[in-house]
Amino acid sequence: MALTYILYSKSLDRYYIGHTVLTMEQRLRRHLSSHSGFTAKARDWNCVWEKTFLSKAEAYECERQ
């Protein structure tokens, strides 16, 4: 299973769209940890939408739309 998700940061007033094979809790924890990349700019990301798919390819296709 995989999922596509949308995160929102109030401090940046920005959205981030991604996909993963991790649980949403695991993936959000990684976005909020010390790392480089777009989501490292803020520490207040919240999941505002998610959808589950049977394959990573389907989740990626949804992300690209």
Side-chain angles (χ1 to χ4, degrees), residues 1-64:
M1 282 196 358
L3 57 96
T4 301
Y5 59 91
I6 300 175
L7 303 179
Y8 176 73
S9 166
K10 186 175 181 178
S11 64
L12 296 177
D13 193 27
R14 299 288 300 257
Y15 289 92
Y16 175 86
I17 302 171
H19 73 285
T20 187
V21 294
L22 301 173
T23 66
M24 192 63 243
E25 292 79 18
Q26 291 170 320
R27 189 64 185 119
L28 186 56
R29 194 174 315 120
R30 289 189 181 184
H31 280 297
L32 297 174
S33 68
S34 297
H35 70 286
S36 60
F38 179 80
T39 59
K41 298 175 184 177
R43 296 281 188 259
D44 65 340
W45 295 101
N46 291 301
C47 183
V48 294
W49 181 85
E50 66 181 89
K51 184 173 180 180
T52 304
F53 295 91
L54 295 176
S55 72
K56 187 174 180 177
E58 289 175 308
Y60 179 68
E61 183 178 330
C62 179
E63 176 188 347
R64 302 307 302 162

